[in-house]
Amino acid sequence: MNNVVDPAAPSASLRRIDFELAPFMESNNGIAIWQLASTVIPIIAVAIALAAITETLQAWSLMSAPVLITLMVLLLSRSFSLMHDCGHGSLFRSKRANRMAAFGLSLIHGMPQHPWSRGHAFHHRHNGNWDLYRGPSALITRQQYQEKTPFSQWIYRALRHPLLLFPGGFYYLIIKPRLSLLLSSFEFTAHSLTSLFKMLQTGQWQTPIEVAKSYRSSFFYTSGELIDIAANTLIVTLLWWQLGSWIGHWHFWILYTVVMSCSAAVMIAVFFVQHNFPGSYTSGSENWSYLKGALEGSSFLQLPAFLNWFTADIAYHHIHHLSERIPNYKLKRCHQANRDRLHGVHRLQIKDLGQCFSLILWDREGHQLISPNEVIGQVATAG
């Protein structure tokens, strides 16, 4: 039996048990397989078509390429959302199936999934607690911003400009994981040499396995993360080389850089606006509420039906944060079943997205996200 909740009651009076969530948490392997097939097969088809029409620079290819690139970016958005579901263990019923699908999809995105999903799980545990998690852009407080020099403030704003999503997204997806792996290998080599010198001095010998077990990486929390990123990097590198050999390395890397930069920018932007919006719930660790973080710190993005398909209904982000075990194909139904309890959820319109990107400071005292322009206005008023 459903709990009856007064739709006019304040969100503070709601509890998680007041929501009907359990019926929507069961995964369906048949739907999951269909979602993968209907996403991955078109990605392969579009990739082949894009490589073929850009082989020669002609008028028809120059007109067709942007259309295919746009379609590819949209399909990759859906693919990433499916990989994201796998990380939550919700796309398939079994942990093994989710893990296998996630690894396969990570090869498409060139991004190791396991380390990313662990960081993403931290976000879910602390959403709305800005003492512990400040989004993918690592935002600072209003006070920290005011303590910076004018030049440092300009750098801070410039690095969080929406246009930086394109090179930043490519770095985040493709370069950063490999850089972490490279730096970790240097760190492990230094650790091994230090251990060897210590053994020579003390005469207390360790096996290579013992030396490896005593290594604590600054870049990875678990050995599973290291294994995942090493396997992903090895296979992705081989795929890069093979695809480049087929269509030409310059041809491949130009297309790949454009597509992956745009894809990463879209994915990061969607994630950003679903938490950084006017009136979003922000709190310090004290008095933080998981439920308020889910309902008031996650937006309900109002998208056309076709964009909801390409983003696998991630626009129902408030439902996703109420329970990450609900697969994407049940988010809408769960929202409809609980719509009388969702009065505190912010409906974010597409026309309001521009304003979201300006909210790059946390006003701790005001319990809100603000733009640097508001800080300038406050200073001018005080002066």
Side-chain angles (χ1 to χ4, degrees), residues 49-69:
L50 184 59
I53 69 164
T54 55
E55 190 172 2
T56 58
L57 294 179
Q58 299 178 359
W60 68 274
S61 63
L62 292 175
M63 290 186 293
S64 302
V67 176
L68 288 178
I69 288 173

Side-chain angles (χ1 to χ4, degrees), residues 256-293:
Y256 190 75
T257 301
V258 171
V259 168
M260 298 311 292
S261 296
C262 293
S263 172
V266 169
M267 290 183 290
I268 295 173
V270 170
F271 178 83
F272 185 89
V273 301
Q274 289 186 307
H275 297 289
N276 293 53
F277 54 87
S280 178
Y281 171 74
T282 65
S283 172
S285 295
E286 186 178 0
N287 299 322
W288 170 73
S289 165
Y290 177 90
L291 186 60
K292 288 178 73 67

Side-chain angles (χ1 to χ4, degrees), residues 114-115 181 184 215 217 220-231:
H114 185 54
L181 184 62
S184 182
Y215 167 60
S217 174
F220 307 105
Y221 292 104
T222 67
S223 58
E225 290 186 18
L226 178 59
I227 293 171
D228 186 86
I229 191 172

Side-chain angles (χ1 to χ4, degrees), residues 26-320:
E26 185 177 356
S27 302
N28 185 308
N29 288 343
I31 295 177
I33 291 171
W34 167 248
Q35 284 197 321
L36 285 178
S38 62
T39 303
V40 174
I41 293 174
I43 285 176
I44 295 173
V46 173
I48 293 173
L50 184 59
I53 69 164
T54 55
E55 190 172 2
T56 58
L57 294 179
Q58 299 178 359
W60 68 274
S61 63
L62 292 175
M63 290 186 293
S64 302
V67 176
L68 288 178
I69 288 173
T70 300
L71 181 57
M72 177 65 86
V73 169
L74 290 172
L75 287 167
L76 288 174
S77 297
R78 179 171 174 81
S79 173
F80 192 89
S81 292
L82 298 183
M83 183 178 76
H84 156 264
D85 266 22
C86 290
H88 287 299
S90 63
L91 190 66
F92 288 91
R93 291 178 183 174
S94 75
K95 182 178 180 180
R96 179 191 238 0
N98 280 305
R99 189 69 192 91
M100 291 174 61
F103 185 79
L105 292 171
S106 77
L107 300 179
I108 293 176
H109 295 279
M111 173 187 180
Q113 180 271 341
H114 185 54
W116 178 85
S117 67
R118 284 178 57 84
H120 185 67
F122 183 88
H123 155 65
H124 269 261
R125 290 193 300 270
H126 304 290
N127 185 43
N129 183 345
W130 285 72
D131 275 336
L132 296 181
Y133 183 81
R134 299 190 184 178
S137 299
L139 304 188
I140 62 175
T141 65
R142 175 177 57 82
Q143 182 178 354
Q144 290 171 324
Y145 180 79
Q146 288 176 316
E147 291 172 352
K148 289 179 173 290
T149 64
F151 180 72
S152 296
Q153 290 178 348
W154 181 85
I155 292 292
Y156 178 83
R157 295 194 304 272
L159 290 176
R160 286 154 184 83
H161 191 279
L163 289 178
L164 265 292
L165 285 171
F166 294 91
F170 187 83
Y171 170 81
Y172 182 76
L173 277 186
I174 308 301
I175 299 175
K176 183 181 178 181
R178 275 88 227 178
L179 182 60
S180 296
L181 184 62
L182 180 62
L183 294 176
S184 182
S185 67
F186 291 155
E187 187 181 58
F188 178 72
T189 300
H191 167 77
S192 300
L193 291 175
T194 301
S195 299
L196 177 60
F197 291 145
K198 184 177 180 180
M199 287 187 285
L200 290 172
Q201 290 175 345
T202 62
Q204 298 177 350
W205 297 96
Q206 292 180 306
T207 66
I209 293 178
E210 289 173 329
V211 172
K213 286 184 176 180
S214 66
Y215 167 60
R216 296 292 178 268
S217 174
S218 302
F219 304 93
F220 307 105
Y221 292 104
T222 67
S223 58
E225 290 186 18
L226 178 59
I227 293 171
D228 186 86
I229 191 172
N232 177 277
T233 297
L234 175 61
I235 298 175
V236 166
T237 301
L238 291 174
L239 288 172
W240 289 342
W241 179 260
Q242 187 60 62
L243 292 170
S245 298
W246 283 342
I247 69 172
H249 291 287
W250 277 108
H251 186 187
F252 167 74
W253 277 105
I254 290 173
L255 289 178
Y256 190 75
T257 301
V258 171
V259 168
M260 298 311 292
S261 296
C262 293
S263 172
V266 169
M267 290 183 290
I268 295 173
V270 170
F271 178 83
F272 185 89
V273 301
Q274 289 186 307
H275 297 289
N276 293 53
F277 54 87
S280 178
Y281 171 74
T282 65
S283 172
S285 295
E286 186 178 0
N287 299 322
W288 170 73
S289 165
Y290 177 90
L291 186 60
K292 288 178 73 67
L295 294 180
E296 300 175 26
S298 305
S299 68
F300 179 18
L301 187 55
Q302 306 296 287
L303 295 176
F306 82 96
L307 285 181
N308 275 327
W309 187 88
F310 279 114
T311 55
D313 278 341
I314 200 61
Y316 294 88
H317 214 58
H318 52 297
I319 299 297
H320 175 59

Side-chain angles (χ1 to χ4, degrees), residues 6-18:
D6 178 8
S11 59
S13 68
L14 287 170
R15 300 165 298 171
R16 193 171 182 273
I17 61 173
D18 294 325

